[in-house]
Amino acid sequence: DADVTQTPRNRITKTGKRIMLECSQTKGHDRMYWYRQDPGLGLRLIYYSFDVKDINKGEISDGYSVSRQAQAKFSLSLESAIPNQTALYFCATSDFRQGAVAQYFGPGTRLTVL
Amino acid sequence: RKEVEQDPGPFNVPEGATVAFNCTYSNSASQSFFWYRQDCRKEPKLLMSVYSSGNEDGRFTAQLNRASQYISLLIRDSKLSDSATYLCVVNPPSGYSTLTFGKGTMLLVSP
């Protein structure tokens, strides 16, 4: 079984709809991250969380919100989706308690906003 | 200067060739360095960490040059399965575990 899972894997929605992307991990890591990837732009950090009570904005947080429901779960919401939010979204985790900064990624969610 | 810069490629090489990629980073106080591999439309996967003394993992060798602020990845005896995009990744000295990703270098290995 995958250590980091994301649901849904693919989603097509319409402009203005609310969308939630979910991420779960069984790695026991304390830190979780949401990225989006667009062709030619690379990976960009949306939000990150160091523990359940800690949420931080990344470089492109406008239009997004997150919730860290438990150590193992971190969800990303688009309150009112717009077409330029069409992208590949990745969740990642890291185990900073072990002094490690390397991140491990989920399989991604491909989101299309029409 | 961009935080992490890579030649986007593609690098086209035949099977069995040796190929090297370089990456430069802007923050001289960066603390940790990695190479990730990403297959088309898949998640990035950690390939290897990069240590100051250089390190090797099978056919892959990573080097760090702090004075010149660049990182390299050498792949020997290229396989078809090595075809992917290789991401150079740096941990800036913010005290947090955020990472800065390069846009990647594409490698295409042909028969």
Side-chain angles (χ1 to χ4, degrees):
Chain A
D1 289 341
D3 295 320
V4 184
T5 58
Q6 292 183 234
T7 56
R9 294 294 311 280
N10 290 281
R11 181 72 184 266
I12 300 173
T13 191
K14 295 182 179 180
T15 297
K17 294 290 187 181
R18 184 178 188 274
I19 297 296
M20 179 180 286
L21 308 183
E22 299 188 346
C23 177
S24 294
Q25 53 118 346
T26 58
K27 299 178 79 68
H29 289 176
D30 53 334
R31 299 190 169 187
M32 299 185 74
Y33 311 80
W34 276 105
Y35 292 88
R36 65 177 280 176
Q37 188 172 39
D38 301 271
L41 295 180
L43 282 162
R44 293 183 291 167
L45 184 63
I46 306 172
Y47 270 97
Y48 58 104
S49 169
F50 289 163
D51 63 38
V52 174
K53 299 178 182 177
D54 180 87
I55 301 290
N56 304 279
K57 293 183 177 181
E59 62 180 296
I60 54 162
S61 59
D62 287 349
Y64 301 95
S65 63
V66 292
S67 174
R68 184 84 182 264
Q69 302 95 321
Q71 185 186 34
K73 296 185 182 295
F74 192 35
S75 60
L76 175 72
S77 294
L78 288 67
E79 296 301 326
S80 180
I82 56 177
N84 76 0
Q85 291 177 314
T86 293
L88 185 54
Y89 290 84
F90 290 108
C91 173
T93 72
S94 67
D95 189 7
F96 196 70
R97 291 168 303 180
Q98 299 298 321
V101 297
Q103 294 177 14
Y104 299 88
F105 287 79
T109 294
R110 184 166 298 278
L111 177 66
T112 302
V113 183
L114 302 176
Chain B
R1 182 178 179 184
K2 295 179 182 177
E3 291 189 67
V4 179
E5 289 198 71
Q6 298 182 249
D7 181 341
F11 284 59
N12 289 282
V13 302
E15 270 187 294
T18 295
V19 62
F21 311 133
N22 287 334
C23 158
T24 58
Y25 59 95
S26 60
N27 193 324
S28 61
S30 295
Q31 299 170 337
S32 302
F33 308 88
F34 307 94
W35 283 101
Y36 278 70
R37 171 200 168 119
Q38 185 173 26
D39 294 294
C40 187
R41 299 188 178 191
K42 301 284 189 178
E43 72 272 27
K45 293 184 178 180
L46 178 64
L47 179 65
M48 58 196 303
S49 301
V50 185
Y51 303 116
S52 297
S53 56
N55 49 297
E56 187 174 303
D57 183 0
R59 298 181 293 109
F60 299 84
T61 300
Q63 297 278 355
L64 168 63
N65 185 318
R66 286 191 181 271
S68 300
Q69 294 177 220
Y70 79 79
I71 306 155
S72 65
L73 178 67
L74 181 77
I75 305 175
R76 292 181 299 279
D77 189 22
S78 297
K79 311 292 185 189
L80 295 176
S81 57
D82 293 334
S83 295
T85 296
Y86 291 83
L87 307 178
C88 174
V89 183
V90 175
N91 172 224
S94 65
Y96 302 109
S97 62
T98 57
L99 298 176
T100 300
F101 288 79
K103 294 180 181 179
T105 297
M106 182 181 290
L107 172 65
L108 299 173
V109 181
S110 55

